[in-house]
Amino acid sequence: MDKPSKRKARPAIFVHGGAWAIPEIEREAHQKGVHRASMAGFETLLTGGSALDAVQKAVEHLEVDETFNAGRGAVLNAEGEVLLDAAIMNGADLKAGAVACLSGVVHAVALARGILERAPHVMLVGDGARAFAEEAGVATCSPDSLIVERERKRYERAKQLSKSGGLDPVGGPADTVGAVACDAHGHVAAATSTGGSLLKLPGRIGDSPLIGAGLYADDRRGAGSSTGWGEGIMRVGLALRAVDSITSGLGPAEAAQQAVRILESRTQGHGGIILVDFKGELGHAFNTPHMAYAYLAEGMTQPEIGI
Ligand code: ASP
């Protein structure tokens, strides 16, 4: 495999907006959202930003877009609150930052970046994570300002269904957001941000902020960001498994397909993954009815969008 230093790569970004049965009425908004986020991330790469800057920028776009289960617009837990999980990882030095069970911050990914840069730890949760926002220069907000009407209604319906035993605990909205990127120096990075799963128990943490499950980045291979049913994704270590399987003989497209096949066969899990390798080649796979995604790389004039 090539040495990661001093080589040139194709700048590329891949963004996802979740893998699940996205209702028809929500599909256009998902496509527009991932389109915009991929453009913002790619612009960062073209103006000299690093892969790490690009994934943060793309995810921040999705966190303020109420369409997605991240930042404002995230799903509510069993107590009717928004509690966020997010992480970011740099492939050059394997540095990472993560937050979980976080309330009152729109840009959970920015706080994760602050932890990567300033904390002596990789992950902070709950009140400790929120308290670190000041140190990281990240704005806080009232926890209720993250709740949107669509999600309040979804929560009420789901509560009723769960009382009557009709709620599919793994079939709810899973529009976690994520991004992977490769910059012109061949450095890769990954980021994720989510409200987790609808009606999750207080204290539940999904795969999204877990290094190796929700995301992974290593310049020697590539970067990956997962989405879907977190309890299955965690148990197969989906992101590390997929990134680690990228070799000169197995590109990101095949690596993504192989990882999702393992998720399905070993845990009966469902979800998807986006991948980039250190040359800027891209790949993705999902076994859900939909995954909202967009990618853009040097040589392309417009993002390729899918759902
Ligand atoms: N993976 C996330 C979780 O389980 C959900 C998602 O991807 O939408 O928390």
Side-chain angles (χ1 to χ4, degrees), residues 237-254:
L238 191 70
L240 175 58
R241 187 183 281 269
V243 166
D244 226 29
S245 70
I246 299 173
T247 58
S248 46
L250 193 84
E254 298 78 26

Side-chain angles (χ1 to χ4, degrees), residues 40-168:
F42 197 59
E43 174 75 20
T44 302
L45 290 175
L46 293 187
T47 51
S50 64
L52 195 64
D53 296 331
V55 294
Q56 181 180 343
K57 175 64 97 181
V59 167
E60 284 180 355
H61 262 255
L62 297 163
E63 286 175 332
V64 291
D65 185 333
E66 293 176 14
T67 308
F68 298 98
N69 176 19
R72 195 170 144 72
V75 298
L76 308 192
N77 73 2
E79 292 185 343
E81 303 163 327
V82 165
L83 287 181
L84 303 171
D85 299 340
I88 190 164
M89 183 166 188
N90 192 27
D93 52 13
L94 304 188
K95 284 193 176 158
V99 292
C101 295
L102 172 71
S103 78
V105 172
V106 177
H107 290 306
V109 75
L111 185 51
R113 175 84 184 259
I115 291 168
L116 179 155
E117 278 169 1
R118 293 161 198 251
H121 308 298
V122 168
M123 180 182 263
L124 295 176
V125 307
D127 292 345
R130 191 163 194 265
F132 198 77
E134 194 178 336
E135 164 87 22
V138 173
T140 55
C141 59
S142 104
D144 282 352
S145 69
L146 299 178
I147 300 177
V148 300
E149 198 45 31
R150 179 197 67 228
E151 291 307 321
R152 203 187 292 281
K153 286 190 183 140
R154 206 185 312 258
Y155 168 79
E156 297 299 342
R157 279 197 307 272
K159 270 273 201 202
Q160 286 306 320
L161 273 174
S162 77
K163 272 189 209 138
S164 60
L167 183 74
D168 172 3

